[in-house]
Each structure stands twice: as structure tokens, then as C-alpha cells.
Amino acid sequence: MNETLSVIGNPIKHSKSPLIHNYWLKKYNIKAFYTKIEAKKTELSSYIKMVKDKELKGLNVTLPFKKDFFNLVDEVDEAAESSLAINTIFEKNGKIIGTNTDGMGFVSSLQRDVDFEFKYGLRIFCFGAGGATYGIVSELLKYEPLSIEISNRTLSKATILANHFSRLKDNNTIFKVLPWGESPKEHIDMVINTSTCGMNLNDKFPTNLDKLTKKALVYDIIYNPKVTSLMKVARKDNLLAINGIYMLVRQAAESFKRWFEIDLTDEDINDVIKLLGHDA
């Protein structure tokens, strides 16, 4: 009998997860199928029960439920606790565990897919302070950035994020909160966009990047459109700029690893990126 996995959210029609995971399941001859579930908040506990009863092999979680599973799983790992969100649920040693693979996928893409020297002690500038930011920042802190500057439309949300991570023990990274549209200065090594600005083709990113050195990387986690408004600003200054397709696929690979204990190869990643209509 085939095992079932699902992504759960509302709305869910837009999700690329079934396309990604079903490709890998077929490639590795795993008798499982990955589906989408559009759920109501009141139904979430029933899906955890299905994982416990082995009716579901595991779950991915997307908006708006990434916080709702904290009280439903048996154990929340460090990645989920630090990022305040669960996007992957799996069973291990009889326990249902919630984790967050967003930051893992982001860092993995930096290490394996981008011509950029990802190292300890970077100076980072981030547009946005929403849920994705928490996942990415929590993972980046393992590499001890010197500083992380946050520019957000709502300044109070950026302050809450900065305070959350500043309070973590063993954190020596300096956090700075800036008004929306602030332009990163020449000391910045990497600019990240985790905001929704650029999802609409008509969006104009309210910043300039002309102070950055040519060694800097501009990373927009939006992957549709392929060339975002921030990427257009970066390319005017001949900066290396990429979209979020590698992060999307790499974070999916981290989920796959937790369900099946398979380390997917770079070929597996690139095959799916081509399947999604992006150049590898």
C-alpha cells in the first residue's frame, strides 16, 4: 500500500510541493504519493492523529498554520522553536516532531548553488520581518554574522524580531532596525528580501544598491516572477542577484530527508528546478 504525504494550508492551490516531492518519490521508487490539503484550523489535530496512526507519513505546513501545530506535536525541535514556525512534521522513535526547514534550505542554497563566499562573520541586510525572516535568521545565526540590519514596513515588527533573536543565549550578532526602503551601505555582504515586495510585476523596490561592493550578493526569496523588482535594481549595478527557487527546492529536500532519510543530490535539486521551469 502506498504511503501518503501532504502539504496543509489555506489556500493551497498554488503550492508547488506535490510537483517537487512526487518527482523525487518516483525517482527513488518510493511507494508514496504527495497531495494537497486545504484545511480549517479546527481540523488540524485530526491530521496529527493520522500521522500517529500512520495514515500519513508526514506533513508540510504552509500559511496560515505554521504556528498552530506547536501545541499539537509531541516535540518541537530547535529550528522550529527559534523560528517560531513549523513547516515540516515527521515521526521519529514514536514521537511526532515539528521542525522548520526554511532556514536550512536558504543556507544550503548559499553553500551549494550560489557563487558567493558564505562564511562566518557576514554583515547582512534584510528587507522584511515576517515569518520567513525568522526561519532564515535563526539558521544564519549558527554562522555568527557580525550584524543583521532589518528594514521593514512596520518598524515595530522589525523591533520584535530583533529583540527575539537578541535575547537568545550565545548570540553575539548585532541587530539594527531601519525604516522601510533604507538603502544598504558599502559594508553589507548580503542583502536578503523576505518581504512580499516584488511578487507583483508592477512592484518597484524602494531602495538603491549602488553603495554595495561587487562582492555582495542580493538574494530575493521570491521565485515568481523569476526576475523580481529587487533583482532588477541589483542588476543595474552589476551585482550578483538570485531568486528564491533554490531555497524553495532545498527546503523541500530537507523535509524529504526527515521522512525518508535520503540525502538528495545536486542533480536531484537541479532536475526539479528544470521541472518548475527555472534554469538550473
Side-chain angles (χ1 to χ4, degrees):
M1 188 176 73
N2 282 6
E3 292 182 307
T4 303
L5 302 116
S6 289
V7 58
I8 189 166
N10 195 338
I12 200 62
K13 285 180 183 176
H14 65 284
S15 176
K16 304 287 186 191
S17 295
L19 197 61
I20 295 169
H21 286 288
N22 283 323
Y23 177 85
W24 290 330
L25 291 169
K26 185 176 180 183
K27 182 171 182 178
Y28 282 88
N29 295 312
I30 297 169
K31 290 182 178 177
F33 189 71
Y34 190 107
T35 64
K36 303 178 193 179
I37 298 171
E38 186 165 286
K40 297 174 183 172
K41 189 172 179 176
T42 53
E43 299 169 338
L44 301 185
S45 60
S46 67
Y47 294 110
I48 291 296
K49 186 176 186 304
M50 289 173 76
V51 179
K52 285 185 176 179
D53 294 343
K54 304 196 183 306
E55 293 173 46
L56 281 171
K57 173 73 173 173
L59 289 168
N60 279 137
V61 183
T62 188
L63 296 174
F65 300 130
K66 288 190 172 187
K67 294 184 189 298
D68 293 305
F69 280 95
F70 272 82
N71 296 323
L72 300 176
V73 296
D74 297 325
E75 195 174 295
V76 175
D77 77 357
E78 184 187 350
E81 196 168 329
S82 174
S83 61
L84 302 179
I86 288 172
N87 82 337
T88 301
I89 292 168
F90 61 103
E91 184 271 333
K92 187 176 182 181
N93 299 326
K95 288 188 174 180
I96 309 303
I97 299 170
T99 189
N100 189 309
T101 65
D102 285 336
M104 300 172 201
F106 181 84
V107 167
S108 179
S109 70
L110 284 175
Q111 292 169 326
R112 301 175 73 168
D113 304 314
V114 185
D115 185 19
F116 172 72
E117 190 185 357
F118 179 63
K119 58 186 180 181
Y120 284 78
L122 291 174
R123 292 159 297 189
I124 297 163
F125 190 105
C126 184
F127 290 105
T133 324
Y134 281 81
I136 289 169
V137 169
S138 69
E139 196 68 17
L140 285 173
L141 287 181
K142 295 178 182 177
Y143 300 87
E144 300 171 8
L146 287 178
S147 61
I148 298 180
E149 300 175 21
I150 308 285
S151 170
N152 194 55
R153 290 181 182 92
T154 308
L155 215 57
S156 60
K157 286 187 177 179
T159 303
I160 290 167
L161 181 144
N163 289 341
H164 167 71
F165 287 109
S166 296
R167 283 194 294 264
L168 297 180
K169 67 175 185 177
D170 301 326
N171 170 53
N172 296 311
T173 300
I174 297 165
F175 281 84
K176 187 176 180 182
V177 172
L178 300 166
W180 176 245
E182 186 89 7
S183 295
K185 303 299 189 288
E186 61 274 4
H187 63 274
I188 295 297
D189 300 300
M190 178 165 55
V191 174
I192 309 166
N193 178 40
T194 65
S195 79
T196 57
C197 186
M199 283 186 174
N200 189 317
L201 278 171
N202 298 321
D203 287 346
K204 286 198 166 47
F205 218 96
T207 191
N208 68 69
L209 303 172
D210 56 2
K211 297 282 196 302
L212 295 178
T213 70
K214 299 307 175 195
K215 290 182 179 178
L217 170 68
V218 178
Y219 195 131
D220 196 330
I221 72 166
I222 294 169
Y223 57 87
N224 185 21
K226 291 182 192 176
V227 181
T228 67
S229 59
L230 181 60
M231 290 172 68
K232 288 174 185 174
V233 174
R235 287 176 178 179
K236 281 180 187 173
D237 290 308
N238 297 314
L239 295 165
L240 176 60
I242 65 165
N243 66 30
I245 194 66
Y246 276 106
M247 175 184 167
L248 173 74
V249 179
R250 291 277 181 195
Q251 65 81 23
E254 292 290 343
S255 296
F256 197 87
K257 180 179 178 179
R258 277 146 188 81
W259 296 323
F260 299 107
E261 297 183 344
I262 293 173
D263 277 309
L264 294 168
T265 66
D266 290 344
E267 181 185 348
D268 295 329
I269 302 299
N270 289 327
D271 284 350
V272 164
I273 283 169
K274 288 173 186 170
L275 185 69
L276 295 173
H278 286 249
D279 293 325

